Amino acid sequence: MAGGAGRMRRAVFAGSFDPVTTGHIDIIERAASMFDELIVCIFHNIQKEGCLPLDDRVRFLREATVHISNVRVDVFSGLLTDYMKQQKARVVVRGLRSVKDFEYEENHASMVHHLMPESDTIFLLTRPDLTFVSSSGVRELIRFHGPVKGIVPTSVERAILELYKRS
């Protein structure tokens, strides 16, 4: 076990995953190799309607990570640090595509550390061939019935194609 004498190393990778992308899956696969358990947590904002229903996002994440034995998908509404304490996790994993992402994520990491001084944040750079992939970009493609092949997991692509047929 990583982390020494019987202590499980658990990390949280949090986001809206609306929808999950191949960029997210890349970060999840790489982060999972660093920890005993990686919790991929959909933070649900009850005041914000997602593009995809929450149940679908959970299902898509579970399907896309089924090949990674130490990944658990969960949902939470509230402060990330409250969730981390509840799960006995001390590490947050964040993916970075650009300097712009870093500026935002650095502030977020500082706030998490302020609220939970024993926590740490690990930044993983997105693979260069995936830096253009974002959930907001995928949502725009969905809005205009654009192609999503290769930028979302297969199960998400199938669901999006079904949406296209209905609208």
Side-chain angles (χ1 to χ4, degrees):
M1 229 189 276
R7 194 175 105 207
M8 179 177 266
R9 298 279 304 162
R10 181 177 291 130
V12 175
F13 181 43
S16 63
F17 303 102
D18 187 27
V20 60
T21 68
T22 51
H24 292 131
I25 299 305
D26 173 59
I27 297 294
I28 292 167
E29 289 171 343
R30 291 167 41 216
S33 72
M34 299 176 195
F35 298 95
D36 298 313
E37 182 179 36
L38 178 67
I39 304 168
V40 179
C41 189
I42 301 171
F43 270 77
H44 178 56
N45 182 344
I46 55 175
Q47 296 169 333
K48 196 170 158 189
E49 183 67 32
C51 175
L52 297 174
L54 184 61
D55 290 346
D56 287 349
R57 288 185 265 161
V58 170
R59 182 170 48 89
F60 294 148
L61 267 168
R62 286 188 175 141
E63 289 172 3
T65 59
V66 72
H67 65 289
I68 315 168
S69 63
N70 64 329
V71 166
R72 176 165 48 103
V73 175
D74 200 4
V75 177
F76 188 75
S77 183
L79 288 176
L80 174 59
T81 50
D82 289 344
Y83 181 77
M84 291 172 66
K85 289 171 186 172
Q86 174 189 319
Q87 297 297 318
K88 296 178 177 45
R90 294 177 50 181
V91 178
V92 178
V93 173
R94 300 300 295 168
L96 298 176
R97 292 172 298 158
S98 66
V99 172
K100 187 175 142 188
D101 281 356
F102 177 75
E103 290 173 351
Y104 171 82
E105 295 296 348
E106 182 183 29
N107 285 334
H108 187 265
S110 295
M111 180 59 77
V112 168
H113 186 60
H114 171 75
L115 295 172
M116 189 177 165
E118 68 276 19
S119 70
D120 213 339
T121 300
I122 292 180
F123 297 114
L124 292 177
L125 295 176
T126 303
R127 284 189 350 226
D129 60 314
L130 296 175
T131 56
F132 72 96
V133 179
S134 69
S135 290
S136 58
V138 172
R139 287 193 301 271
E140 188 167 337
L141 288 172
I142 291 170
R143 195 173 304 119
F144 295 105
H145 293 216
V148 294
K149 185 173 183 63
I151 60 174
V152 295
T154 308
S155 58
V156 177
E157 181 186 355
R158 281 194 301 265
I160 290 169
L161 292 175
E162 282 303 311
L163 273 176
Y164 289 174
K165 287 179 190 173
R166 283 186 253 142
S167 57

